[in-house]
Amino acid sequence: MTVTILTVDDSRTMRDMLRMALVDAGFRVVQAEDGLHGLDVLRGERPQVVITDINMPRMDGFGFIEAVRQDAQYRAIPILVLTTESDDEKKLRARRAGATGWIVKPFDPAKLIAAVRRVAA
Amino acid sequence: MDPMAEIRLTFFQECEEQLTALENGLLSMQEGDSDSETVNAVFRAVHSIKGGAGAFKLNALVSFAHIFETALDRVRSGELVPDVDAMKLFLRAADALADLVSASRDGGVEVTAPYVAIEEEFNALIGGGGAAAEEDEFANLAFQPIITAFDEPPPPPAQNVFIIRLRPLRELFAKANEPLALFRELARLGTLTSICDIKNLPFLDTFEPEDSYLSWELRLETDSQRAAVKEVFDFVEGDCDLAIELAQSATAPPPQPEMDITAILRKVREEAPAIAAAAAAAAPPPEADAAPKAVKAAVQPTIRVDLDRVDRLINLVGELVINQAMLTQRVLHSSHVRDREVTSSLEELERLTREIQESVMAIRAQPVRPLFQRMSRIVREVADATSKDVRLRTEGEATEVDKTVVELLADPLTHMIRNAVDHGLEGPEQRVAAGKPPEGTVKLAAAHRSGRVIIEVSDDGQGINRPRVLQKAIANGLVPPDAQLSDSEIDNLLFLPGFSTASTVSNISGRGVGMDVVKRSIQALGGRISISSAPGQGSTFTLSLPLTLAVLDGIVVTVDEQVFVIPLTAIVETVKHEPSRIHHLGDHSFVLRVRDVLVPLIDVGAELGVRGPTSDLRSGVAILIETANGTRSALLVDNIQDQRQVVIKSLETNYMRVDGIAAATILGDGRVAMILDVDALVGPRHHDWAAAETPLAKAS
Amino acid sequence: MIEKSLNPQSREAEFVAFRAGSLEFCINIMSVREIRGWTPATAIPRAPSYIRGVINLRGVVLPIVDLGVRLGLPGTEPTARHVIIVAQVDERVAGLLVDSVSDILSVEDTSIQPTPDVASQLARMFVRGVIAMDGRMISVITMDNVLPAGMDLEAA
């Protein structure tokens, strides 16, 4: 079965880049533009892996991860956060919120796929 | 297009949006908005630009955005409360960021003095230490090589054997990490064998589904080094007890596994559904999502559509309108069908068609807000360059107008705003001396008024210096030395070609374009421009523009059996035209007396070369028109047929621009008709004159 | 025929041949959009004499060039039997008013001869070469200079 990945990012550029890399690697990609939208799509699409940005309008990445982890149906889904290298503090906060792992921006497709592979069930 | 190039395009499009959001946010912060969402949005805009720029290795952009972002982050966290100067710095940085984005898009960015200067100011603002510490990060970001598996150096020949002890804590599972996935990763590095310790596994009655009971001892034979092994556990660091030992020896045979990895995988897989089911049963229904849902309704869903598709739709609807008109005309002219039902169906069809057309046009309509926002930058730049204190006030930013109109307004509006700050407003001392506040105000307002868009650019400056304008016009031979001109006529001299009010050409407004160019651009959009001014109080330029460039209301006239359309906006009235009111001035020039004023009477047929000039103008209808600069003339045509809305078709697409013709259209009978360019038709008579009727009136 | 098409050096092109006045012309079929009957055109003010006006071609305003007049031949009084060849001219589309379309020719590049030096300046503006075929002399028209140029520059 094709693995479905949900990407949550408010930047169209990032969404496009994620989509390109993931689709090339054979994943099915569904996308959302912020945390709230992400929760919606999550419920409709039941992805196997989620990749989310941190800085987003309406609901940021932390809020999104917390909301997913509080939902019994989805709490077991691996979530990767997109972060910039300097953001050790953000990485920590994301982990505290329940992120499974992280991807450092700017990412190259190989690293992205490796990170997804590491967490995909 | 290759996908990366396409994403690059998206990135730059998105940058434009982010820059707008950035400027917006900063402006409202400047107005005192300290809402955290405003600050967040500003931060996000810069952060997003940085993120995308990193992906495209636009190093200069990344590094500038980074320092900007760092400063904004301080504001966000409350460490820095920006004062007036800091806000100004932020706005200037936003302008510089916009320039960097354009420069990066067009290739070739040089880190020039302005950027360096702003970066230094930022360093001063946030304290040098913080920024310096971040320098390393750019180095990483900017020069990060793309490492793929193929690039790695050949592995050392000796096999390493690692013994790994792993005891996951419940936090590991809470973050959706899986020992299973870790094993799979390890197995990619070499040969993995494992021993699962299940002695801690409780009986089912005390089994806590989210707790962790298992631990493993793994043996990995691999070419990889410790770092690579450790990296596998990156995500679970702190969420497990982990020990990695390098148990040397490539010679010793590996001990027989007591349970091989596939068995473990099988076991975990078998247990997983039970664990999940237990978890689902145990967990109460989540309430967390109830609150977020309530917020959602506020956002209007939108879709992005290719402009080509919209334009194609508009063209098709345009044809539908023509076809509908043709159909109606044909049915009504064929005498045997005069059925009432047919007629009312046709009327319904016309109504629907018109409604579709309006809805489709509305797709192209855009608020003037982004255009107005661009102007705030112009104001800042000119104010800086002229050492004036200027505040831009905007009104009616939500007013919508056709996308092309918005785009084509940018240049003329820029010029007018420059003029307003450079020439209109006085310096602070002069203002204070005149009893005004030192800060000048430029106002930009938009509104819909009777089917058109009105845009006003006004300032509270010194007003037009009429004696100087007149003196200059006389010196340039634009008006006779003894001309007696009204105030408004003098003001309109500004629109004459080549006229420039500044006695010294400043490098702000003096770029070789005068108000005549502005006026021509506005006219090219089917608009008009007018000016009013009060000495010491300021000037107002008023633009009146069509809502759309796709349709126009006009009257259909005939001249020598040819059909023309005259735009309704130019028409003042149709004039009862009696031979006694016409005066022949010789040389095929005529004037028509309209009440007490004489206006030039233009024989459209002769003017367009449809027929030869004649001195006999007794038949026909005169239409009194007003050109963009407010002068009046009368057009003589044979007949008025109809008043209707017509779809504008460019004549230039397949042919070329024709003097005196604004565009073409297709009428109900399917034939092409020309739409007259009234200003151009009247133009030659007035090329030296802002207002011709007054002297003529005095002559009578 | 088979031999010809096997020869990699020769490239065959198709041309639409037509009559204007007593002469025969042709244009590359690749630039022809469609061929249609004459419909009355709306005159364009201040247009050169060879521009018959514009017609409505399914919503597109299409200028009509009287090709005979453009080439310096006597003017045509168009009737329902006259034909408009709708052709691409760079970015623009124009209709050529001609007397009739005669046939479609398959011609090899190599059999197009250069325009003779004796041809008038006007002819050389529009004629790219000459095809001699079955005793006919057919001038190959290039569309580059058919429409008037330059005024749009002045307007800009």
Side-chain angles (χ1 to χ4, degrees):
Chain A
M1 200 188 84
T2 318
V3 173
T4 299
I5 298 179
L6 165 63
T7 67
V8 188
D9 201 313
D10 60 327
S11 154
R12 244 183 306 141
T13 312
M14 276 300 154
R15 286 202 301 275
D16 284 358
M17 299 202 60
L18 288 166
R19 179 191 289 279
M20 184 178 72
L22 294 169
V23 167
D24 276 357
F27 295 107
R28 180 175 166 260
V29 178
V30 292
Q31 304 200 300
E33 299 178 8
D34 57 49
L36 280 186
H37 187 201
L39 291 177
D40 262 5
V41 179
L42 181 78
R43 290 182 183 116
E45 295 281 348
R46 302 179 164 266
Q48 279 85 38
V49 177
V50 176
I51 299 174
T52 181
D53 187 27
I54 296 290
N55 289 297
M56 292 183 292
R58 299 209 297 160
M59 179 192 271
D60 67 8
F62 303 129
F64 172 71
I65 297 170
E66 275 160 23
V68 175
R69 290 289 178 245
Q70 277 164 25
D71 188 324
Q73 264 189 297
Y74 302 102
R75 62 172 59 172
I77 295 179
I79 303 176
L80 295 169
V81 296
L82 287 163
T83 170
T84 54
E85 208 149 355
S86 63
D87 292 343
D88 267 343
E89 178 247 331
K90 265 184 215 139
K91 221 185 275 182
L92 195 70
R93 226 187 117 185
R95 290 200 62 191
R96 236 179 262 141
T100 311
W102 55 86
I103 297 162
V104 175
K105 285 192 284 191
F107 55 82
D108 66 79
K111 282 194 171 170
L112 172 74
I113 302 307
V116 169
R117 202 187 56 212
R118 273 162 74 177
V119 299
Chain B
M1 204 190 298
D2 101 78
M4 267 322 261
E6 224 168 285
I7 296 178
R8 202 183 137 94
L9 276 184
T10 306
F11 167 63
F12 283 112
Q13 269 176 16
E14 203 172 8
C15 277
E16 292 304 320
E17 293 159 22
Q18 304 287 10
L19 288 168
T20 308
L22 170 64
E23 190 175 8
N24 266 348
L26 288 174
L27 287 174
S28 64
M29 280 166 72
Q30 197 181 31
E31 297 284 329
D33 178 356
S34 57
D35 185 33
S36 71
E37 189 35 49
T38 308
V39 183
N40 274 332
V42 164
F43 174 84
R44 266 201 312 273
V46 180
H47 184 74
S48 275
I49 291 174
K50 183 182 109 172
F56 294 103
K57 309 226 168 358
L58 303 169
N59 302 336
L61 189 52
V62 170
S63 97
F64 187 81
H66 178 80
I67 192 156
F68 194 175
E69 177 198 78
T70 308
L72 289 170
D73 201 23
R74 298 281 166 92
V75 178
R76 199 163 69 136
S77 67
E79 283 169 62
L80 175 72
V81 179
D83 56 9
V84 178
D85 287 337
M87 281 317 303
K88 281 192 174 163
L89 171 60
F90 285 150
L91 279 163
R92 261 188 299 129
D95 295 343
L97 188 66
D99 290 343
L100 257 177
V101 166
S102 327
S104 306
R105 179 181 46 218
D106 307 335
V109 179
E110 285 169 39
V111 180
T112 47
Y115 304 122
V116 176
I118 291 174
E119 284 182 14
E120 276 165 9
E121 283 185 64
F122 271 132
N123 281 336
L125 185 70
I126 60 184
E134 307 280 9
E135 290 298 330
D136 289 342
E137 185 215 338
F138 311 146
N140 278 338
L141 220 61
F143 302 112
Q144 191 175 50
I146 295 179
I147 300 166
T148 66
F150 315 105
D151 294 338
E152 280 171 18
Q159 287 261 315
N160 291 317
V161 177
F162 292 96
I163 301 293
I164 302 155
R165 289 191 190 81
L166 172 73
R167 194 171 77 81
L169 304 175
R170 60 179 298 164
E171 288 78 18
L172 184 148
F173 297 103
K175 289 174 192 157
N177 269 304
E178 277 287 347
L180 161 67
L182 298 171
F183 301 157
R184 201 177 47 203
E185 282 305 302
L186 286 173
R188 296 176 83 97
L189 297 176
T191 312
L192 183 72
T193 52
S194 85
I195 303 155
C196 179
D197 182 351
I198 55 172
K199 65 174 184 291
N200 290 332
L201 202 62
F203 290 107
L204 264 180
D205 54 349
T206 56
F207 186 91
E208 186 66 45
E210 294 186 10
D211 220 329
S212 167
Y213 301 102
L214 302 175
S215 61
W216 285 269
E217 186 174 308
L218 306 142
R219 184 175 194 281
L220 177 66
E221 278 178 58
T222 176
D223 300 337
S224 307
Q225 303 300 310
R226 176 187 283 271
V229 178
K230 199 161 176 291
E231 201 194 332
V232 171
F233 296 95
D234 237 13
F235 291 170
V236 296
E237 208 186 320
D239 294 337
C240 60
D241 292 335
L242 177 69
I244 302 172
E245 281 169 35
L246 180 61
Q248 258 308 70
S249 168
T251 52
Q256 279 302 312
E258 288 170 36
M259 189 178 187
D260 82 352
I261 184 74
T262 48
I264 293 193
L265 296 188
R266 203 181 311 122
K267 183 174 159 57
V268 173
R269 214 170 272 147
E270 277 160 8
E271 282 170 5
I275 294 173
E287 311 239 331
D289 54 340
K293 265 199 176 138
V295 188
K296 211 171 43 191
V299 179
Q300 279 265 30
T302 57
I303 56 165
R304 303 191 145 258
V305 182
D306 237 19
L307 197 58
D308 283 351
R309 290 198 195 177
V310 175
D311 286 345
R312 180 165 160 68
L313 187 60
I314 287 175
N315 277 334
L316 284 172
V317 173
E319 274 180 57
L320 180 66
V321 170
I322 291 162
N323 249 286
Q324 170 267 321
M326 282 167 71
L327 179 68
T328 306
Q329 198 165 330
R330 283 196 186 142
V331 171
L332 296 183
H333 283 172
S334 56
S335 50
H336 53 281
V337 209
R338 273 286 162 85
D339 194 312
R340 223 219 215 116
E341 280 177 30
V342 172
T343 317
S344 76
S345 292
L346 284 173
E347 278 165 7
E348 181 67 5
L349 178 65
E350 181 176 352
R351 193 185 60 75
L352 286 173
T353 316
R354 188 57 74 95
E355 223 167 275
I356 292 175
Q357 189 177 33
E358 278 166 14
S359 312
V360 170
M361 298 297 182
I363 301 178
R364 274 187 64 96
Q366 290 193 324
V368 294
R369 182 176 291 111
L371 177 68
F372 279 18
Q373 274 156 359
R374 278 163 75 182
M375 295 307 134
S376 77
R377 172 172 185 174
I378 307 292
V379 168
R380 283 199 295 280
E381 282 174 355
V382 183
D384 274 0
T386 55
S387 311
K388 290 175 183 174
D389 263 347
V390 187
R391 170 142 301 222
L392 177 71
R393 297 209 175 279
T394 53
E395 252 174 43
E397 297 102 317
T399 308
E400 289 191 335
V401 60
D402 184 89
K403 183 176 161 59
T404 308
V405 177
V406 173
E407 282 162 7
L408 294 178
L409 265 180
D411 281 350
L413 217 50
T414 302
H415 190 77
M416 289 163 72
I417 292 278
R418 280 208 182 105
N419 269 340
V421 178
D422 192 18
H423 301 317
L425 294 178
E426 316 89 332
E429 299 84 16
Q430 210 184 328
R431 287 183 65 88
V432 172
K436 297 182 185 179
E439 185 185 60
T441 301
V442 173
K443 198 174 116 189
L444 195 51
H448 280 158
R449 210 175 294 155
S450 54
R452 288 177 79 82
V453 179
I454 308 296
I455 293 181
E456 278 184 5
V457 181
S458 51
D459 63 69
D460 65 347
Q462 55 205 346
I464 289 172
N465 186 339
R466 294 196 177 109
R468 206 170 80 195
V469 168
L470 184 58
Q471 190 191 340
K472 183 153 186 198
I474 292 171
N476 290 3
L478 296 174
V479 286
D482 56 348
Q484 296 293 307
L485 300 186
S486 69
D487 284 354
S488 108
E489 284 160 9
I490 294 175
D491 294 348
N492 275 301
L493 292 173
L494 291 179
F495 294 119
L496 294 187
F499 197 96
S500 166
T501 44
S503 37
T504 55
V505 174
S506 77
N507 58 359
I508 312 290
S509 324
R511 298 188 184 196
V513 275
M515 285 304 292
D516 60 318
V517 177
V518 170
K519 183 179 150 192
R520 241 188 295 149
S521 333
I522 300 299
Q523 284 174 325
L525 286 169
R528 303 151 168 235
I529 183 169
S530 62
I531 180 173
S532 68
S533 179
Q537 290 172 33
S539 311
T540 301
F541 287 87
T542 306
L543 310 182
S544 158
L545 294 153
L547 287 175
T548 163
L549 299 179
V551 293
L552 160 155
D553 282 303
I555 62 168
V556 181
V557 301
T558 54
V559 176
D560 201 25
E561 287 172 20
Q562 289 196 31
V563 179
F564 293 94
V565 177
I566 302 176
L568 205 56
T569 49
I571 296 173
V572 182
E573 59 183 323
T574 55
V575 183
K576 197 152 185 212
H577 145 259
E578 291 159 10
S580 64
R581 292 167 179 243
I582 298 176
H583 302 256
H584 188 188
L585 303 181
D587 193 24
H588 304 301
S589 295
F590 297 88
V591 289
L592 176 71
R593 188 155 49 90
V594 182
R595 286 178 282 276
D596 289 334
V597 181
L598 290 181
V599 298
L601 177 64
I602 294 154
D603 178 9
V604 172
E607 193 62 33
L608 292 176
V610 174
R611 61 177 170 224
T614 165
S615 46
D616 175 26
L617 292 181
R618 269 167 301 185
S619 64
V621 186
I623 298 167
L624 188 64
I625 52 139
E626 189 177 73
T627 59
N629 59 17
T631 62
R632 291 186 171 189
S633 302
L635 299 182
L636 183 69
V637 300
D638 292 351
N639 269 306
I640 294 179
Q641 282 195 331
D642 195 6
Q643 176 180 328
R644 60 180 308 136
Q645 194 173 56
V646 296
V647 176
I648 301 173
K649 295 275 178 182
S650 163
L651 197 55
E652 284 164 74
T653 311
N654 289 321
Y655 187 61
M656 60 186 185
R657 199 182 147 84
V658 177
D659 194 30
I661 302 297
T665 186
I666 296 167
L667 294 178
D669 60 1
R671 292 195 55 175
V672 179
M674 300 291 150
I675 302 171
L676 298 184
D677 178 349
V678 168
D679 284 33
L681 267 185
V682 177
R685 273 164 197 75
H686 294 266
H687 59 276
D688 283 348
W689 269 93
E693 73 252 41
T694 312
L696 284 169
K698 287 191 173 121
S700 67
Chain C
M1 278 308 278
I2 292 165
E3 244 173 80
K4 273 183 197 166
S5 56
L6 285 177
N7 181 351
Q9 298 300 314
S10 83
R11 293 228 314 269
E12 223 175 48
E14 286 192 302
F15 292 84
V16 176
F18 53 88
R19 295 192 156 273
S22 56
L23 301 177
E24 266 201 286
F25 301 94
C26 66
I27 64 172
N28 193 309
I29 203 164
M30 297 306 285
S31 57
V32 175
R33 290 272 205 89
E34 65 181 276
I35 295 168
R36 49 171 295 145
W38 165 254
T39 39
T42 302
I44 306 173
R46 300 176 180 161
S49 59
Y50 56 84
I51 297 291
R52 298 272 348 176
V54 282
I55 63 165
N56 163 22
L57 180 71
R58 291 185 302 278
V60 173
V61 175
L62 186 80
I64 304 297
V65 177
D66 187 330
L67 197 66
V69 177
R70 186 60 168 139
L71 295 170
L73 305 171
T76 324
E77 207 36 65
T79 66
R81 282 197 304 278
H82 280 79
V83 171
I84 292 170
I85 299 175
V86 181
Q88 189 78 35
V89 188
D90 297 325
E91 300 288 290
R92 300 186 284 191
V93 182
L96 302 180
L97 172 64
V98 302
D99 291 353
S100 61
V101 168
S102 36
D103 51 8
I104 310 250
L105 311 170
S106 279
V107 180
E108 275 179 46
D109 273 9
T110 47
S111 58
I112 301 176
Q113 301 159 18
T115 316
D117 284 345
V118 293
S120 70
Q121 186 67 34
L122 194 63
R124 262 183 285 154
M125 269 176 79
F126 310 107
V127 178
R128 189 166 67 87
V130 178
I131 299 166
M133 188 184 252
D134 310 328
R136 291 152 73 190
M137 281 284 284
I138 306 166
S139 304
V140 182
I141 296 287
T142 108
M143 299 293 293
D144 307 350
N145 300 313
V146 161
L147 285 172
M151 257 184 76
D152 36 358
L153 287 176
E154 178 200 80

